[in-house]
């Protein structure tokens, strides 16, 4: 029984950790949170028509 509780806590803890990580990344915006932001060729900042 204790093993079941520990496994359940581990699963829910992992899910909550990923949910918080997702929320924090989504607050940064599309390109700021991207893993390829340093080597990406797309311009995410301001479209050319709005500059």
């Amino acid at each position: 029984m204790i093993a079941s509780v520990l496994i359940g806590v581990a699963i829910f803890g992992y899910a909550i950790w990923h949910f918080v990580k997702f929320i924090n990344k989504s607050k940064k915006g599309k390109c700021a949170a991207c893993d390829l932001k340093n080597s990406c060729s797309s311009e995410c900042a301001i479209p050319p028509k709005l500059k």
Side-chain angles (χ1 to χ4, degrees):
M1 170 133 167
I2 294 174
S4 298
V5 171
L6 290 177
I7 291 171
V9 168
I11 290 171
F12 279 107
Y14 186 71
I16 290 170
W17 178 67
H18 269 281
F19 185 69
V20 169
K21 190 175 168 182
F22 172 77
I23 296 296
N24 287 336
K25 274 187 144 184
S26 68
K27 286 182 181 179
K28 290 182 183 177
K30 182 180 175 185
C31 286
C34 182
D35 293 332
L36 301 174
K37 65 183 171 189
N38 294 331
S39 62
C40 186
S41 63
S42 69
E43 293 195 24
C44 294
I46 300 173
K49 292 180 181 178
L50 299 176
K51 285 185 178 180

